[in-house]
Amino acid sequence: MTEKAAVHHESWIQTEIQHFVATSPGNCLGKEEFEPAFGKPLVGFSNGADPLYDEYVAHIGNFYLTPLKTFQQAFPEQQTVTAAELTVISWILPSTAATRKDHSIRNRHPSERWARTRYYGEKFNEALRRHVVDRLLDQGISAMAPVLAPFWQKSMDGPYAPCSNWSERHAAYAAGLGTFGLCDGLITPVGKAIRTGSVVARCPIPPSPRPYTDHHAWCLHYSHGTCGKCIPRCPVNAISHSGHDKKRCMAYTHEVMSAYLIKTYQIKTYACGLCQAGVPCMDHIPAPEEG
Ligand code: SF4
Ligand code: SF4
């Protein structure tokens, strides 16, 4: 593929994602009156041969999939593909200002808008993954969405358990879209109250610039030794100055919260996200003086 063609792909994929988010009726909170779940998305690209993906395997465990492994599992007839021929397309879907405002004043349970974003918004995110794959296939480009693949799974093994064999947030980090906070959420230029998604395509596109070298660069706790404002936001003390206790968080979000969401909003999902709102990194990269 020529350089010109690669740049063309970068621009139409970006436009396609932004257009789908702006116009799809599926981008909604599932209420009687239409209300969008997400605002304008950010889009970034990383190359399949980026050494970060091997680093993820080394840190997370051998079960973790690189772009090459995930692509080859989806397209077993394309075993000769190289990692460098693959691009990981990542996006960030920012929750709306109304959702963030509602959630910021909650301190024990999710707001209705947050719960709806988690359920209906993630359904839309799934539709967006399928849409991106379909548009690429229309252009004759093989593509797949790792988290929609039948082999995508969660694992309770390894030092970062519970985790999955493909992480949307790690793909977004590789694409220059954000760095991890004390609570493990991804802090992006549009904040941490987001959903994220990705698609792997056999279509080399220039990788997006990665404006950081440290995976915690945009979290004030790690960069300046300040903030820690997500710590008291957690109702079950799953965040401390040492980091995020994923098992404690999961026990609360999956068990206590899923029962609450069904009872209160009749929504069958799990959610909490209190540490993602009412904090300086909720809707932007926090400045040092905000710590
Ligand atoms: S609230 Fe502060 S400490 Fe917590 S993730 Fe955001 S910037 Fe980091
Ligand atoms: S999602 Fe909820 S339970 Fe988990 S760390 Fe954040 S505030 Fe705590």
Side-chain angles (χ1 to χ4, degrees):
M1 184 182 291
T2 64
E3 201 175 310
K4 201 171 157 198
V7 171
H8 164 74
H9 281 123
E10 174 186 0
S11 129
W12 80 253
I13 289 168
Q14 234 161 4
T15 306
E16 195 63 54
I17 292 172
Q18 285 167 351
H19 185 257
F20 192 69
V21 173
T23 60
S24 168
N27 176 17
C28 73
L29 291 182
K31 293 165 141 184
E32 236 164 72
E33 267 187 37
F34 176 79
E35 181 175 336
F38 301 113
K40 189 177 176 184
L42 304 179
V43 182
F45 305 90
S46 59
N47 185 262
D50 191 314
L52 262 185
Y53 287 107
D54 285 332
E55 279 182 40
Y56 294 163
V57 174
H59 283 285
I60 298 168
N62 279 335
F63 63 90
Y64 196 79
L65 296 166
T66 60
L68 183 61
K69 266 197 197 164
T70 191
F71 185 89
Q72 285 176 327
Q73 281 203 46
F75 297 98
E77 71 287 3
Q78 296 192 41
Q79 291 303 304
T80 56
V81 64
T82 64
E85 287 175 81
L86 301 175
T87 292
V88 182
I89 304 158
S90 291
W91 56 84
I92 303 293
L93 299 172
S95 55
T96 63
T99 299
R100 291 167 175 197
K101 189 172 168 219
D102 277 5
H103 208 53
S104 293
I105 55 172
R106 303 297 296 238
N107 53 26
R108 183 97 208 150
H109 303 116
S111 63
E112 182 172 357
R113 279 195 172 92
W114 190 273
R116 287 180 175 275
T117 302
R118 179 69 187 79
Y119 182 74
Y120 294 101
E122 189 49 34
K123 287 222 169 302
F124 171 70
N125 198 11
E126 283 177 16
L128 175 58
R129 293 179 184 103
R130 282 192 290 272
H131 177 78
V132 172
V133 167
D134 288 348
R135 292 290 72 76
L136 287 160
L137 293 175
D138 288 348
Q139 301 273 327
I141 296 168
S142 303
M144 51 82 64
V147 305
L148 298 183
F151 49 82
W152 182 77
Q153 56 189 11
K154 296 200 171 173
S155 168
M156 292 305 280
D157 296 333
Y160 298 99
C163 58
S164 52
N165 58 357
W166 178 266
S167 157
E168 301 290 38
R169 284 177 301 138
H170 284 72
Y173 173 78
L177 290 170
T179 78
F180 295 88
L182 183 62
C183 65
D184 278 347
L186 195 76
I187 302 173
T188 77
V190 290
K192 192 170 61 171
I194 53 128
R195 304 293 303 168
T196 175
S198 69
V199 158
V200 181
R202 188 170 185 175
C203 164
I205 292 174
S208 307
R210 204 151 54 217
Y212 40 73
T213 50
D214 184 281
H215 65 290
H216 286 134
W218 291 345
C219 171
L220 296 174
H221 171 81
Y222 292 104
S223 61
H224 290 75
T226 60
C227 194
K229 291 179 180 170
C230 49
I231 297 174
R233 288 288 293 151
C234 180
V236 289
N237 300 319
I239 310 171
S240 69
H241 288 288
S242 319
H244 176 219
D245 182 336
K246 290 173 79 174
K247 287 187 176 145
R248 186 181 280 234
C249 170
M250 190 172 159
Y252 187 65
T253 54
H254 284 236
E255 291 160 31
V256 183
M257 280 307 91
S258 52
Y260 174 86
L261 296 177
I262 291 223
K263 186 165 161 250
T264 315
Y265 306 130
Q266 295 76 54
I267 295 175
K268 196 172 184 309
T269 188
Y270 61 91
C272 171
L274 291 166
C275 54
Q276 293 168 31
V279 290
C281 56
M282 172 177 76
D283 53 13
H284 62 280
I285 300 166
E289 59 274 19
E290 293 178 87

